[in-house]
Amino acid sequence: SLMQRSKVDYTILFRQLSSMTKHELSMGFDNLFSRLDPAFYCAETQRELASEWRSWFELYSQRVLSDTRDDETRRDEMRKTSPKYIPREWMLVGAYEAAERGDYGKIEELALIFETPFDEHPEFESKYYCRTPEEFRKKAGVSFFS
C-alpha cells in the first residue's frame, strides 16, 4: 500500500489528519501536504510518491467534504479513535534505564500520557509525539524484535 511504501508512521499520520478542517482540506494538497511531514521517515520517498499522495489526498478530501458532520464532531471522533501517544519501545528503553539508576521521572511521564493517550499533552509533544529517533531505528529489540 501507499502508506507502507512511504515509510510513514501511521499513528502520527492519522492524528495529523484529525487536525484538518474542511476549510483547510478544500485548500488542496499543496497547502496541506507539509502538515503530514511529521509522519514520514524518509523525505526522499515522500517526494518520490508525492503524486500518489496527491491522488490519495484528493479522495480523502472529497470524502471528508461530503461528510455531513460539522468539523468539531468529525475531528473529535477521529481523535477519540486515533491516539496521539502509543507505547513505543524506544520510549520505554529510556524509562527502564533511568529507573535502574533510581530516576523514575520518565516512567511517571509515560504513565501520565498512557493513562490518557488521546489527550494532547502539549508539554510532552516534542519529546514523545515523534517518529522513532534515528539512533533507535536499527537497534535490535527496540525498533524490531531480535
Side-chain angles (χ1 to χ4, degrees):
S1 84
L2 177 60
M3 290 184 193
Q4 287 175 320
R5 289 183 292 124
S6 297
K7 299 176 184 162
V8 68
D9 183 296
Y10 295 5
T11 300
I12 295 173
L13 178 77
F14 292 124
R15 192 64 182 210
Q16 292 297 104
L17 288 170
S18 76
S19 71
M20 296 180 185
T21 66
K22 288 181 180 182
H23 174 73
E24 290 170 326
L25 288 167
S26 70
M27 294 174 11
F29 177 80
D30 294 327
N31 292 312
L32 289 174
F33 194 47
S34 64
R35 293 260 303 272
L36 302 180
D37 286 351
F40 286 88
Y41 278 96
C42 180
E44 183 179 334
T45 303
Q46 183 182 4
R47 284 188 302 276
E48 290 170 1
L49 297 173
S51 65
E52 290 181 62
W53 274 104
R54 177 182 299 279
S55 297
W56 182 91
F57 196 81
E58 288 171 5
L59 289 171
Y60 176 76
S61 296
Q62 289 171 7
R63 157 70 180 86
V64 170
L65 293 171
S66 69
D67 191 327
T68 57
R69 294 173 294 171
D70 63 272
D71 270 335
E72 197 51 41
T73 300
R74 178 187 53 79
R75 292 168 62 206
D76 186 52
E77 186 176 308
M78 288 178 73
R79 286 189 297 262
K80 286 180 179 176
T81 58
S82 297
K84 185 166 186 172
Y85 302 96
I86 61 169
R88 297 175 188 260
E89 195 65 29
W90 64 265
M91 295 175 184
L92 302 175
V93 167
Y96 298 153
E97 290 172 349
E100 286 176 342
R101 296 186 306 275
D103 177 1
Y104 298 96
K106 287 185 179 185
I107 286 182
E108 291 166 0
E109 284 180 354
L110 293 175
L112 177 67
I113 64 172
F114 296 145
E115 283 176 12
T116 54
F118 297 92
D119 293 355
E120 290 300 317
H121 298 291
E123 68 276 23
F124 299 118
E125 192 167 283
S126 64
K127 193 172 186 178
Y128 298 119
Y129 183 64
C130 57
R131 298 177 304 262
T132 301
E134 189 68 41
E135 66 267 22
F136 293 112
R137 291 186 190 166
K138 294 186 180 175
K139 188 173 183 179
V142 177
S143 66
F144 55 91
F145 293 106
S146 55

